[in-house]
Amino acid sequence: MRAITRTIVSAAVVAIIGAAVGPGVAHAQSARPTVNDPIGPPPDPTHIPTVLPKDIKWTGQEGRQQMGLLFGDPNKPGLYGVVYKWYPGNFSQPHFHDQERYAYVISGTWWVSTTNIYDEKTTYPVRAGTVAIDTANTVHWDGARVGEKEPAVIVLVGMGPVKTVQVDENGKPKAPAAPR
């Protein structure tokens, strides 16, 4: 009898709590802010550091190829992230990297080839939304073909330091360029 009474009392307590709390939870869910409501405060930079587009440090030449540093440093130990912009009609030469890198095409079409010989007709289109792995020590080259309407924009993430090695038509490393 005592067990039945305890079960009935427990059920009644749960029902009362549910009746009291349930409408508050439903109200909180229906009152969620929309994009039309005022925005909250900026995130605490010690919790979520942010970099605005205007503050990204770009190198290279606009209209050809540019690289923006998002975090880390490809020349130092540790994780790094960069954004590349390949403008139409511009390509790298056949090369490889000594570290694996991971690419995501944000916009445009990134044209890549895995041949040792530079011939733009051998490039393959890698379109926006595609993920690619730049396997360490394997020859490739990349850029954007003439006629593209926008630059190919790619995010690359990897572990530094990373070295880029230019190769000859046999896929063998070229001698480093003499210092200027």
Side-chain angles (χ1 to χ4, degrees):
M1 185 68 126
R2 192 177 279 168
I4 294 174
T5 303
R6 191 176 310 142
T7 303
I8 292 171
V9 169
S10 296
V13 169
V14 168
I16 291 168
I17 291 172
V21 173
V25 170
H27 175 71
Q29 289 176 345
S30 66
R32 293 177 62 188
T34 69
V35 295
N36 298 320
D37 290 320
I39 62 171
D44 181 335
T46 64
H47 296 213
I48 301 180
T50 59
V51 178
L52 298 173
K54 68 179 181 62
D55 297 327
I56 294 174
K57 305 290 187 243
W58 291 95
T59 60
Q61 183 178 353
E62 189 169 353
R64 293 189 56 103
Q65 184 262 340
Q66 293 180 286
M67 184 186 83
L69 185 62
L70 299 178
F71 60 88
D73 185 335
N75 298 310
K76 295 180 181 174
L79 185 66
Y80 70 88
V82 295
V83 175
Y84 276 96
K85 288 184 188 177
W86 281 107
Y87 290 86
N90 293 281
F91 283 91
S92 63
Q93 295 293 310
H95 63 277
F96 65 83
H97 308 283
D98 68 337
Q99 302 291 325
E100 199 160 84
R101 306 185 319 162
Y102 303 88
Y104 178 75
V105 182
I106 295 175
S107 62
T109 301
W110 182 37
W111 291 83
V112 300
S113 178
T114 55
T115 63
N116 298 334
I117 299 170
Y118 182 89
D119 179 356
E120 292 177 19
K121 292 177 187 162
T122 65
T123 58
Y124 182 83
V126 180
R127 302 191 193 289
T130 303
V131 173
I133 299 172
D134 184 353
T135 304
N137 301 310
T138 60
V139 175
H140 67 280
W141 51 280
D142 54 330
R145 279 191 179 184
V146 170
E148 288 292 344
K149 295 185 180 4
E150 63 182 338
V153 180
I154 300 103
V155 170
L156 280 169
V157 176
M159 294 297 288
V162 61
K163 292 180 186 147
T164 300
V165 179
Q166 302 297 317
V167 300
D168 62 21
E169 291 186 353
N170 296 312
K172 303 292 182 204
K174 289 182 175 181
R180 293 180 178 192

